[in-house]
Amino acid sequence: MNKNSISIFPECLLDLSSLEWLYLAHNQLTDLSEALPKPIKNEKNDDGGHSYCCGLSNSLKRFVLSHNNINQMPHHLGSLSRLEELWLTQNRIITLPDTVCTLKHLKILIVNDNHLKELPKQVGTYFFNNILLFWCYFILVAGLLLVY
């Protein structure tokens, strides 16, 4: 679905319980608040976490959203429990939600060419020990320029 001038996330994708790779790069997406599975109110899974409303949360492994105009990733990004790769190159993202640190299977996180000012507070040794590739050209953290 790359290069299709998509400006609104197609909600019909949320019910695709076997979809493992989703490429939405080079579109015109700006707001993903309605794009990801949301927790089912008052329902918990076997691990004590929230249950989610659709199949995509249990199947998606690679999510490519590069070259859009996304300002922020929604808090419920953590609903993508099988996510292994998240590509966010060339957007307008200022911060990542704390829930990115709860993605246990995440191995590749690409966030270069954004407007990042900080990383989630939960980012630490555990997060970086599991990540195989973290690509962020530069970020500004507490007034310090960090180059990766």
Side-chain angles (χ1 to χ4, degrees):
M1 296 181 70
N2 290 343
K3 299 181 181 179
N4 280 295
S5 300
I6 297 169
S7 59
I8 298 173
F9 185 87
E11 287 187 41
C12 61
L13 297 175
L14 292 173
D15 294 325
L16 300 177
S17 60
S18 297
L19 185 67
E20 293 186 1
W21 294 3
L22 179 54
Y23 290 80
L24 287 168
H26 297 276
N27 282 295
Q28 297 171 1
L29 294 169
T30 57
D31 180 13
L32 293 179
S33 60
E34 299 299 319
L36 300 176
K38 294 179 181 61
I40 298 172
K41 191 174 182 177
N42 299 323
E43 189 171 320
K44 301 282 184 178
N45 63 21
D46 294 338
D47 296 334
H50 288 287
S51 291
Y52 291 89
C53 64
C54 63
L56 192 63
S57 64
N58 294 316
S59 64
L60 194 63
K61 292 182 179 180
R62 181 181 294 165
F63 200 8
V64 180
L65 291 162
S66 300
H67 302 274
N68 279 286
N69 292 310
I70 300 166
N71 295 316
Q72 66 180 13
M73 292 300 293
H75 180 74
H76 47 281
L77 175 65
S79 69
L80 300 174
S81 61
R82 300 284 176 227
L83 195 64
E84 296 175 4
E85 300 180 24
L86 181 57
W87 297 70
L88 298 171
T89 302
Q90 289 193 354
N91 279 288
R92 298 168 188 256
I93 300 169
I94 296 170
T95 61
L96 293 171
D98 293 341
T99 55
V100 74
C101 299
T102 66
L103 298 170
K104 296 177 185 176
H105 299 282
L106 191 66
K107 300 292 181 209
I108 296 175
L109 176 59
I110 309 293
V111 292
N112 60 297
D113 293 329
N114 276 284
H115 300 276
L116 288 174
K117 295 189 189 236
E118 64 183 1
L119 292 174
K121 292 174 180 60
Q122 289 80 3
V123 168
T125 306
Y126 173 79
F127 181 75
F128 283 115
N129 281 342
N130 290 312
I131 295 288
L132 297 176
L133 177 61
F134 174 68
W135 191 356
C136 178
Y137 288 144
F138 62 89
I139 56 173
L140 186 63
V141 178
L144 299 173
L145 183 64
L146 303 177
V147 180
Y148 292 92

